[in-house]
């Protein structure tokens, strides 16, 4: 005869097997939230528990399941509400995704603020509104979300519908915070600002160091810039060997600017005729 205690233990073991034996931190959560996390959590979401891996994209075969479980869990979790938005977006339901992201953002989810801002910035599922996008990115950035910072930087080149341009000095400060936290995109964007003197003084040495940090994390744009700074001796010693290595890695990652730069480095001497036409190049 099975005792109630043994039946309960068997049921718990069965649930653990169903959700992939979650770690101890998951046992205080509902099964719906555990399953929502398992198939719809965003790896970059600051709300995500450390023991949840997350998925860059929700698998097509998991979308319906994600909507089902995240919708239930969303009643008590802003993380699940954000996951529901991701599931709707994967299911090509932009209006539903926007509504879910808005609910999660209203509850303080910075990841949802970024996604909602992207919908406003691109006019997906709603009228395009860069001012609203900027406000959402700013709010996420102020809360320390690295993607909020980098998306805010992406809007820095122009003004929104109200004509209010972004503040480059403020963006520089926000990028510095994200860069210090190790975000490669923030390191790259801040390096560009330092190199150009945007939002403050020029700092080639600081820019080069940031490009190299982001390059170490395989950021294609930073690899190209690190190669350029090394090739030209900007912000430090000239190092063609390092430049070549940076350019080669950038090319491998698909950076379009790095390929001609690498060729110029390999073939630095151009031979021209009397008419100024290129006859050949000398390559090493």
């Amino acid at each position: 005869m099975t005792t109630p205690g043994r039946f309960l233990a068997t049921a718990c073991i069965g649930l653990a097997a169903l959700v992939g034996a979650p770690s101890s931190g998951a046992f205080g959560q509902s099964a719906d939230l555990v399953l929502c996390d398992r198939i719809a959590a965003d790896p970059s979401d600051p709300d995500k528990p450390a023991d949840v891996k997350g998925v860059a994209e929700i698998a097509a075969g998991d979308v319906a399941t994600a909507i089902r479980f995240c919708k239930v869990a969303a009643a008590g979790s802003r993380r699940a509400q954000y996951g529901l938005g991701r599931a709707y977006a994967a299911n090509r339901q932009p209006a539903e995704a926007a509504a879910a992201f808005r609910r999660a953002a209203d509850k303080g989810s910075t990841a949802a603020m970024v996604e909602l801002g992207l919908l406003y910035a691109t006019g997906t599922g709603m009228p395009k509104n860069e001012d609203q996008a900027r406000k959402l990115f700013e709010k996420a950035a102020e809360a320390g979300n690295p993607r909020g910072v980098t998306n805010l930087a992406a809007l820095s080149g122009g003004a929104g519908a109200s004509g209010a341009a972004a503040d480059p000095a403020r963006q520089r400060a926000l990028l510095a915070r994200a860069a210090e936290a190790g975000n490669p995109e923030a390191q790259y964007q801040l390096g560009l600002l330092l190199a150009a003197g945007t939002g403050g003084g020029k700092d080639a040495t600081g820019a080069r160091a940031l490009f190299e940090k982001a390059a170490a994390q395989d950021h294609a744009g930073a690899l190209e810039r690190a190669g350029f700074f090394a090739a030209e001796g900007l912000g430090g010693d000239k190092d063609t060997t390092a430049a070549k290595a940076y350019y080669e890695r950038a090319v491998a990652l698909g950076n379009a600017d790095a390929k001609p730069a690498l060729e110029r480095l390999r073939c630095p001497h151009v031979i021209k005729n009397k008419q100024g036409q290129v006859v050949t190049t000398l390559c090493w």
Side-chain angles (χ1 to χ4, degrees), residues 222-242:
L223 281 163
E224 185 276 328
R225 285 291 84 191
F228 176 77
F229 272 58
E232 299 296 322
L234 298 174
D237 295 334
K238 187 171 183 177
D239 189 340
T240 54
T241 300

Side-chain angles (χ1 to χ4, degrees), residues 89-272:
N91 206 38
R92 298 186 179 182
Q93 294 177 262
E96 289 81 359
F101 288 145
R102 190 181 302 280
R103 288 191 292 269
D106 288 344
K107 293 179 179 179
S109 169
T110 60
M113 294 173 197
V114 172
E115 291 301 326
L116 185 60
L118 288 171
L119 295 183
Y120 271 120
T122 58
T124 303
M126 60 180 66
K128 186 174 181 178
N129 190 325
E130 287 192 4
D131 287 342
Q132 286 297 325
R134 180 173 285 113
K135 288 176 182 177
L136 286 160
F137 293 152
E138 285 178 343
K139 189 172 182 181
E142 290 288 1
N145 187 298
R147 291 183 64 223
V149 174
T150 53
N151 279 288
L152 180 60
L155 289 178
S156 65
S162 67
D167 179 353
R170 182 164 175 266
Q171 289 183 4
R172 188 161 163 165
L174 289 171
L175 281 169
R177 286 166 50 186
E180 288 173 3
N183 181 272
E185 180 65 19
Q187 291 166 347
Y188 171 64
Q189 294 283 354
L190 180 58
L192 294 177
L193 295 184
L194 293 180
T198 303
K202 284 188 177 183
D203 183 358
T205 302
R208 181 169 176 170
L210 286 163
F211 292 143
E212 290 175 350
K213 287 180 180 179
Q217 300 180 67
D218 286 332
H219 188 290
L223 281 163
E224 185 276 328
R225 285 291 84 191
F228 176 77
F229 272 58
E232 299 296 322
L234 298 174
D237 295 334
K238 187 171 183 177
D239 189 340
T240 54
T241 300
K244 181 174 178 289
Y246 283 130
Y247 283 144
E248 286 175 339
R249 288 169 58 199
V251 169
L253 291 171
N255 184 278
D257 294 327
K259 189 172 183 179
L262 180 58
E263 288 305 308
R264 288 193 298 270
L265 198 63
R266 286 173 173 166
C267 307
H269 298 292
V270 178
I271 307 301
K272 298 181 181 180

